[in-house]
Amino acid sequence: MLDLLPGKDDPAPPAETRGLRLLPLRGVRYVPEEVGGLEAVVSSPLDGVVRRVGQAPTHPYNIVRLILPQADTAEGRRRQASGTLRAWVAEGILASDAEPALYVYEQSRGDLVQRGVIGALALSPPEEGIVLPHEDVIAYALEERAALVRATAAHLEPLLLSYRGTVEPTGATSVVERATARPPLSVTTTEDGFHHRLWSITDPADVGEVADHLAGHQALIADGHHRWATYLRLQQEQAAAPSPWDYGLVLLVDTALYPLQVNAIHRLLHRLPVSEALAAVGGSFRVRHLDTSLSQAMTALEEAASTGNAFLLAGDGSYHLLDSPDPALLARTVRPDRPADWRALDAAVLHETLLAQVWRIPDAADSIGYVHDAEAAVAQAEMRDATAVLMHPVREEVVHDLARRGVTMPRKSTSFGPKPASGLVLHSLEDMVPAPE
């Protein structure tokens, strides 16, 4: 197995070791002249602004209408997404690029700049050690995503994958930096304040340089576990091989140059008021009531999490800090077949102890919601008489260490970013067969 995220002085894997295979594709992109500019149709990641404000997009061609079709049934959503995509292509709203390309993608906001390469990545199962997941997936979410991809025959958003290259301007890094010196294909700004620029790489020498560089690396799934699992499931369903279903749309970011940010994902317990949550906890955790601002409460959570498991409950107009869990309770409830560092994760204690045993909450979409913004989680909990469980981020080295050992974390344990915007590059499995090697 290749060494995940090696240090800059580590030797490269041997040439014969199989690594990442990123191929060009004919990207499907908006035609700006047909939509009045990309700002109205490209979206921030859907775990951010769109879901937080709870507003449907006003523009008739906004990408959210494809990714989150509004219909009363799952079948209706699939039909709507498929029909919408085909109509937009027929109307010339979306169009395939003339030739296969890799795409250099830049995101920036203030002092933060992230660059990477978008392309069609050859699929590989986790046991091959090429693309490593670090989180479990949710069965119902996987089914919904797989059904949407079947219906549209398209990958509507790239996954975010990270790998560790070198800080020297060689290989993919060199190609990326050269590309950004040219005028971009497209430029836009999303409602979260990020500026986005996109370039295409079509020169065979540049494409080959990227491919040779990435062949010596493996990647960590930073964001998109359900989409990667969907890619693998649908690949297995296809009788023909090779086929376009052997590849998935990804954004690869070299974290030696562009380190990712790691944030927490909070829980919203739809049917559990805060008073009932606190009563059920009893003496199994220390409970401290905080009559402070959200910012001050999150600081208290950070301090408590530095010495052990800690959670912040909200939804009744104040904050309640849970920490110092009963060791005997953890020994009884957290699964013993996992390593000690997994058993110590906040997400493991939350799901194994609090959700499953103390609160008896089923693992279902109508019981548990996942919210990336703490303020939004609190607001929704207060509005619905529900409980928001605010989490502290996992340290990045813990994520990497578990992934190296093939140990997946509980679902929705981390939020790596910045995530790519939706709508800049789509991958049609009917039209965009990856270029041959």
Side-chain angles (χ1 to χ4, degrees):
M1 180 183 294
L2 300 177
D3 179 34
L4 179 64
L5 306 177
K8 86 174 177 179
D9 296 325
D10 290 351
E16 67 272 16
T17 304
R18 183 183 171 205
L20 300 167
R21 293 179 59 235
L22 189 71
L23 303 183
L25 57 101
R26 293 181 62 213
V28 170
R29 300 187 294 114
Y30 278 104
V31 179
E33 297 79 9
E34 298 294 327
V35 296
L38 294 179
E39 286 80 2
V41 294
V42 172
S43 172
S44 303
L46 295 187
D47 288 317
V49 172
V50 172
R51 285 181 180 167
R52 182 166 66 244
V53 301
Q55 295 177 344
T58 56
H59 197 285
Y61 299 121
N62 191 285
I63 190 64
V64 175
R65 297 185 184 276
L66 278 181
I67 297 169
L68 281 182
Q70 299 300 306
D72 294 333
T73 66
E75 178 60 30
R77 290 190 290 274
R78 293 193 290 271
R79 286 199 305 268
Q80 185 178 115
S82 177
T84 298
L85 178 58
R86 293 180 188 280
W88 290 0
V89 171
E91 295 170 23
I93 303 303
L94 293 170
S96 298
D97 284 334
E99 57 183 322
L102 298 176
Y103 298 88
V104 170
Y105 174 44
E106 177 190 88
Q107 298 163 268
S108 63
R109 185 174 64 183
D111 295 332
L112 174 62
V113 176
Q114 177 174 286
R115 291 172 177 166
V117 181
I118 295 174
L121 185 68
L123 303 183
S124 59
E127 57 268 21
E128 291 188 7
I130 299 171
V131 176
L132 297 183
H134 71 268
E135 288 183 355
D136 297 329
V137 296
I138 306 169
Y140 65 78
L142 178 57
E143 291 295 339
E144 181 83 5
R145 287 187 179 275
L148 182 64
V149 176
R150 287 191 201 96
T152 59
H155 297 153
L156 304 178
E157 303 171 277
L159 281 70
L160 174 60
L161 303 185
S162 67
Y163 75 99
R164 182 94 179 167
T166 65
V167 294
E168 289 78 18
T170 59
T173 298
S174 177
V175 174
V176 166
E177 299 308 312
R178 291 200 302 269
T180 58
R182 306 194 307 264
L185 282 177
S186 60
V187 178
T188 191
T189 301
T190 45
E191 62 265 49
D192 57 2
F194 272 97
H195 304 289
H196 308 267
R197 297 197 296 170
L198 192 74
W199 297 262
S200 65
I201 302 172
T202 57
D203 182 85
D206 289 339
V207 171
E209 190 172 354
V210 172
D212 291 344
H213 177 78
L214 293 176
H217 293 83
Q218 64 180 176
L220 179 78
I221 301 176
D223 182 71
H225 285 81
H226 289 87
R227 278 169 283 165
W228 185 257
T230 296
Y231 291 173
L232 294 174
R233 171 175 293 189
L234 297 180
Q235 180 191 35
Q236 294 174 354
E237 294 178 3
Q238 304 305 309
S243 81
W245 298 85
D246 295 328
Y247 301 86
L249 181 65
V250 306
L251 165 65
L252 277 162
V253 173
D254 181 354
T255 54
L257 284 174
Y258 303 106
L260 298 179
Q261 299 175 326
V262 187
N263 298 308
I265 303 176
H266 313 292
R267 273 58 171 170
L268 183 64
L269 311 183
H270 300 301
R271 301 175 180 176
L272 183 69
V274 174
S275 59
E276 295 181 15
L278 293 173
V281 167
S284 57
F285 282 73
R286 180 174 64 172
V287 179
R288 286 178 279 169
H289 303 280
L290 309 176
D291 291 320
T292 63
S293 66
L294 174 58
S295 175
Q296 292 170 319
M298 293 299 287
T299 298
L301 173 62
E302 180 180 4
E303 293 172 353
S306 67
T307 58
N309 301 119
F311 310 93
L312 191 65
L313 305 191
D316 63 351
S318 59
Y319 302 99
H320 311 271
L321 182 63
L322 274 59
D323 65 356
S324 302
D326 178 8
L329 174 66
L330 299 186
R332 290 196 311 270
T333 56
V334 181
R335 53 190 295 180
D337 61 338
R338 292 297 177 103
D341 46 356
W342 186 96
R343 290 168 55 83
L345 292 170
D346 286 341
V349 172
L350 173 63
H351 283 267
E352 301 276 316
T353 302
L354 284 169
L355 293 177
Q357 301 298 325
V358 174
W359 293 328
R360 304 286 181 178
I361 295 178
D363 183 11
D366 58 355
S367 297
I368 306 173
Y370 297 89
V371 185
H372 289 240
D373 181 81
E375 185 177 353
V378 173
Q380 291 183 42
E382 291 179 348
M383 181 175 60
R384 302 174 184 179
D385 191 25
T387 295
V389 182
L390 306 183
M391 310 281 288
H392 183 67
V394 181
R395 290 181 294 111
E396 186 174 3
E397 56 266 30
V398 173
V399 178
H400 292 165
D401 185 56
L402 288 170
R404 286 187 185 99
R405 291 181 278 147
V407 179
T408 54
M409 301 168 66
R411 54 207 170 277
K412 301 294 183 180
S413 292
T414 63
S415 175
F416 280 88
K419 299 174 176 60
S422 303
L424 286 174
V425 179
L426 287 68
H427 178 195
S428 170
L429 295 165
E430 294 178 339
D431 178 56
M432 297 179 299
V433 179
E437 297 180 80

